[in-house]
Amino acid sequence: MSSAIVFTEYGGLEVLRLIQAEPPAPGEGQVRVRVRAAGLQPADSLLRSGRFRAFMPARFPQRLGNELAGVVDAVGPGVEHFRLGDEVLGPAAAPGAHAEHALADAAQLVARPAGLDWSQAGALSASGQTAATCLSDLEVGPGDTILIHGAAGGVGSMAVQIAVARGARVIGTASERNHEFLRELGAVPVVYGPGLADRVRSALHTPVDATLEAQFDARVDAAFDTAGTPDALEASTELVADRSRIGTVAAAAEVERYGIRRMSTRRSAEQLRELVELTRAGRLKVFVQRTFALDQASEAYKGLDSGHVRGKLVFLMP
């Protein structure tokens, strides 16, 4: 039998259950992974609460978790590149990574590099690929200045590092306690709240990290919102001239009002390998604030729902 976190009705932390069930059997092109680590995502809370039901209705009992790292322990038909015992990381085939066993599409997985510990490996795929996809869709590259809201969170912290690796200047919003953390990632930090646009304008005159060779103008070229707060969206539309270069993953209901883009992720093994290479090169770090056992699901999700996470929260299995 295998442990898994499920919910059988929409709601708060009280609807979470830890059940015992038969491990799932892999289908065509799939492998089953003995999960060693699985990151928590805001999307998990949105699914559990019912706020995602228009896009992804739950199928009760609904499992949770979109990213994992672990060991292949069963191989489905048509899989050629992975064998029993291989250590892998990547997306789950469907929500279900918050469990001892989960299915994954073999074509979406990559090998776990030796230098990435289990908790970091289990937290890379979803946030990393969301950040990379959105930066590509916003066409962020050398010489650009991008404003990233919620820059200390799971997606935000990865977006900061990937943007810097692509030669962009980053201004990141976060609470003051996270400002030194953002400076270490290569961003210019600003506190969110009233007057944000003016603080960003002042930040445009902060000297840029000497490791960046590009020259930067005193303007904001793009904005990426992972926070969803009104001040983030209002400052973005005030500062960025081209609204097609403003995107949000946190305020889907506001995209028409502000004329901005609702961003989503695209997953591929090629993109995930690029992220792994950035970690090998020391240009992308996965920050794990805390790990939990599966029987601490309520505590883990309470931390996720608080919105005050630096980096990622991760379920870590024995």
Side-chain angles (χ1 to χ4, degrees), residues 86-155:
D86 284 351
E87 297 182 354
V88 297
L89 66 93
H98 297 169
E100 290 181 330
H101 295 86
L103 299 179
D105 294 326
Q108 297 287 327
L109 298 176
V110 301
R112 180 179 76 101
L116 204 61
D117 70 28
W118 282 116
S119 62
Q120 293 171 322
L124 173 62
S125 175
S127 294
Q129 296 210 71
T130 296
T133 298
C134 294
L135 292 176
S136 294
D137 287 350
L138 294 174
E139 299 180 351
V140 175
D144 281 333
T145 294
I146 181 169
L147 173 61
I148 298 178
H149 299 289
V155 174

Side-chain angles (χ1 to χ4, degrees), residues 150-152 172-182 189-192 307-310:
T173 68
S175 60
E176 195 163 357
R177 65 186 177 87
N178 285 319
H179 282 196
E180 186 56 37
F181 171 65
L182 291 186
V190 294
V191 68
Y192 46 72
H308 297 292
V309 178
R310 178 188 291 183

Side-chain angles (χ1 to χ4, degrees), residues 164-226:
V164 170
R166 293 182 180 184
R169 171 174 59 181
V170 177
I171 298 173
T173 68
S175 60
E176 195 163 357
R177 65 186 177 87
N178 285 319
H179 282 196
E180 186 56 37
F181 171 65
L182 291 186
R183 290 188 187 97
E184 292 171 359
L185 299 186
V188 179
V190 294
V191 68
Y192 46 72
L196 175 58
D198 287 337
R199 289 192 294 279
V200 172
R201 291 188 183 98
S202 296
L204 291 170
H205 302 288
T206 300
V208 177
D209 190 317
T211 61
L212 293 176
E213 298 179 0
Q215 297 298 311
F216 300 96
D217 295 321
R219 66 168 185 265
V220 180
D221 301 288
F224 177 39
D225 168 48
T226 74

Side-chain angles (χ1 to χ4, degrees), residues 230-248:
D231 62 296
L233 300 178
E234 289 165 7
S236 297
T237 53
E238 182 177 339
L239 292 164
V240 180
D242 182 356
R243 294 201 178 186
S244 71
R245 299 191 73 189
I246 304 173
T248 180

